[in-house]
Amino acid sequence: MSGAYLIGAGATPVAEHYGRGLADLASEATRAAFAGLPEFVSHRVGALYVANALGDRLAAQAHLGAYLAAAVGLHGVPAVRVEAAGASGGVAIHQAAQAIAAGAAEIVAVLGVEKVTDQLDDAVEAALALAGDAETEAIHGLTLTAQWAMLMRRYMHEHGCGPEAFAPFPVNAHANAAKNPQALYRFPINADKYRKAAMVASPLNMLDCSSVADGAACVVLAGERVARELAAEGVPLVRLAGVAVATDTPALALRADPLDLAAARASAHIALGRAHLGLSDVEVFELTDPHGIAAALALEAMGYYERGAAPRHAADGAITPTGRTPIATAGGYKARGDVAGATGVYQVVELLRQLRGEAGATQVPGARVALAQCLGGVGATAVSCVLVAER
């Protein structure tokens, strides 16, 4: 069980932020996270964890711990960059929770930031491909999108469905993003548009592929004593009740069953166990869902649906804000936008709004328990964070 509480959170819109750099985006998110907190909180931050996957390749900036600590006003604070591809944000939150549990820090900031849109597509794809196995996959030009496409084709073969079975996932994401002012794509789509969309990596089409964009998100965690001291009347305390990291081999060909996201299952079950909760207790989710197949495989791996059943349940409304397993309530990867290493932090910011009842039109009624899961590569690293609102 974790003794860390979320006391502040903020994020920039996900967008093509031409003219803005890592430091500028990070500063905006950090100011938003500390807004409303007493001034002493920023002076007592004991550590800063920076989640970033692509900064050295695409923003020409490494040494992000010291660079961004200075940029956001946390001068002198112990600061490090955490890199685990798309799971970087989740791993950074895991590190922060461990620091608080160990008594190394009473207040910790976690900052996720990515800046990619100043680069050409080829450079972005090459950087993203570093999340795979360079010797067996990337050297042959295999991208993450191509890997998910192969898994989707295999899924269709094994379970006897067509590409249209995955339409509910992007349709739901866009419906929710249309109500999120911070999302990249704030417009709805329908199954007919999905069916007619141009192919990107068959059977994945343009409306089933996310776009990598710029953004920054920040969360402030604190031990229980500080959290209760700062608690505002009428606002539930939100505890990071369980967090776990699990890994799998990056190369799909070396996995016993490529359609089984074993790390996703392990991290979710361990995190829920640490929170003393079960699958049925979770009421709202954030997943790594750059494509419908990714969301389907994650839900099935965790045990929410039998293998081959997730698309059918999605079509029945299970993934909407009023369904059994609400996902992408702020738009997810597909419509909020893919922020690479910052994803895990964005997920926690979005779920904090849900648990505080501040999610507006996509609020899941009465949500008290949430689960955020971010994946690095095609599920090679998986981090699950369980959040509980204490009312």
Side-chain angles (χ1 to χ4, degrees), residues 247-294:
T247 61
D248 199 352
T249 176
L252 292 181
L254 298 180
R255 298 183 188 178
D257 182 354
L259 293 183
D260 178 25
L261 297 183
R265 176 174 57 257
S267 73
H269 287 208
I270 294 169
L272 285 167
R274 289 172 176 170
H276 302 296
L277 297 169
L279 291 172
S280 62
D281 293 308
V282 182
E283 296 153 314
V284 58
F285 302 78
E286 280 293 324
L287 303 177
T288 290
D289 53 354
H291 321 285
I293 181 63

Side-chain angles (χ1 to χ4, degrees), residues 131 143-144 147-148 151 248-250 252 255 258 261 375-381:
T143 66
L144 294 182
Q147 288 177 291
W148 285 115
L151 291 180
D248 199 352
T249 176
L252 292 181
R255 298 183 188 178
L261 297 183
L375 306 181
V378 184
T381 299

Side-chain angles (χ1 to χ4, degrees), residues 299-361:
L299 288 168
E300 291 176 10
M302 287 188 285
Y304 283 98
Y305 300 110
E306 294 181 358
R307 291 187 62 156
R312 183 177 72 251
H313 287 282
D316 291 338
I319 61 173
T320 67
T322 57
R324 173 185 166 191
T325 53
I327 66 173
T329 57
Y333 270 63
K334 176 60 192 77
R336 178 205 61 223
D338 178 354
V339 281
T343 294
V345 189
Y346 266 91
Q347 291 178 328
V348 169
V349 171
E350 290 158 0
L351 290 179
L352 183 60
R353 292 171 181 158
Q354 284 283 346
L355 297 182
R356 287 178 171 174
E358 300 169 351

